[in-house]
Amino acid sequence: MEIFVVPTASATGSVAAGILAAVIRSKPDAVLGLATGGSPLPIYKALAGHSVDMSSVSGLALDEYVGLPAGHSQSYAEVVRREVTERLQLDPAKVAVPDGSAADPERAAAEYDSAIAAAGGIDVQILGIGHNGHLAFNEPGSALDSRTRVEVLTERTREANARYFSTPEEVPLRCITQGLGTIMEAGHLLLVVNGADKAGILAAALNGPVTAACPASILQRHPHVTVVADEAAASLLASGSGQVAVRVEGAAAGV
Ligand code: F6R
């Protein structure tokens, strides 16, 4: 595992985008796993500034709410369209999001795992981490080998995501999420984290025991993980734990 510590949230985007641009230059038809939420937005903004041909790149979203009407501005299908597909000029036919408005969401979830396999698997999976340690929407207690499925969102997660909705009650109760086992099959996991409010859970995930109580702790078992964290989020990480930590400053951090 390599950990880049950068001064600001916007610098997490610059460093992570640099990694993705290098991947796409060496593999123009790379398959990217797309996280939503606030953490990866600086990545997509920074990646748009790289002169890299994105026309053959595919994208597969990490998760989607269940039950929002099609076209809802906060559905991840819409967020991915606005923030990723349009911004990066991806081919919309090469971008997929789980079908959260399917009549049978469990079936849509199983089909999504098949779609990932049909795409040849995910080369780089972009990830954020929830305050309770969730990875994608795998809430605490999720099986470490779980597949893409319907999951019930915890109150903590609904509270955190209420900022995107007019009222907290509007936040959906369920979602379709890639499973932890699904995520672990990606070739490279790229976790981006910012803010002091994530420092405790990031340390628990990277330095604590691997346990379903902290789903993101599964990262410790993947052979190729890159963490890009701002100083506030990295402030409680143990030093000398065998993980390679690099402090990136100045122009190299895009600041
Ligand atoms: C989003 C996702 C979630 C978020 C996590 C952190 O697709 O799967 O796991 O990454 O909830 O969200 P932010 O970045 O908004 O703090």
Side-chain angles (χ1 to χ4, degrees):
M1 180 180 297
E2 57 198 1
I3 304 173
F4 294 100
V5 182
V6 300
T8 61
S10 119
T12 62
S14 308
V15 169
I19 293 169
L20 290 172
V23 168
I24 296 163
R25 283 198 184 97
S26 68
K27 188 176 184 210
D29 60 349
V31 180
L32 304 182
L34 305 170
T36 48
S39 307
L41 292 181
I43 307 180
Y44 303 133
K45 287 187 179 141
L47 189 53
H50 283 259
S51 54
V52 53
D53 178 10
M54 304 285 292
S55 61
S56 300
V57 169
S58 307
L60 286 152
L62 199 49
D63 39 23
E64 173 62 295
Y65 294 114
V66 166
L68 287 181
H72 189 288
S73 66
Q74 293 311 319
S75 69
Y76 285 166
E78 280 299 294
V79 174
V80 166
R81 184 185 61 72
R82 281 194 306 269
E83 303 293 346
V84 187
T85 312
E86 288 185 356
R87 194 185 289 278
L88 300 178
Q89 297 181 317
L90 299 187
D91 176 354
K94 294 189 192 302
V95 180
V97 179
D99 184 0
S101 53
D104 182 349
E106 287 290 0
R107 184 177 173 161
E111 287 172 355
Y112 199 70
D113 256 354
S114 306
I116 294 173
I122 290 173
D123 293 302
V124 186
Q125 176 64 63
I126 302 162
L127 295 164
I129 185 173
H131 293 95
N132 59 3
H134 73 216
L135 202 60
F137 279 139
N138 292 280
E139 299 285 23
S142 296
L144 297 178
D145 61 355
S146 50
R147 308 304 306 173
T148 302
R149 68 195 186 289
V150 175
E151 172 74 289
V152 175
L153 296 170
T154 61
E155 274 315 300
R156 182 70 186 91
T157 299
R158 294 185 67 235
E159 204 178 278
N161 288 7
R163 67 195 195 277
Y164 296 114
F165 292 83
S166 341
T167 63
E169 295 72 37
E170 262 186 70
V171 183
L173 296 165
R174 295 185 305 153
C175 64
I176 295 175
T177 181
Q178 283 190 35
L180 293 173
T182 315
I183 292 168
M184 288 292 280
E185 287 167 3
H188 181 185
L189 304 182
L190 177 58
L191 174 71
V192 59
V193 195
N194 53 67
D197 55 322
K198 297 274 179 78
I201 198 64
L202 183 63
L206 303 192
N207 305 136
V210 176
T211 162
C214 179
S217 63
I218 191 76
L219 293 171
Q220 296 179 44
R221 295 211 177 136
H222 193 283
H224 191 185
V225 177
T226 303
V227 179
V228 185
D230 72 0
E231 275 165 12
S235 61
L236 297 177
L237 289 178
S239 55
S241 55
Q243 294 153 346
V244 183
V246 181
R247 197 162 288 275
V248 186
E249 286 164 336
V255 292

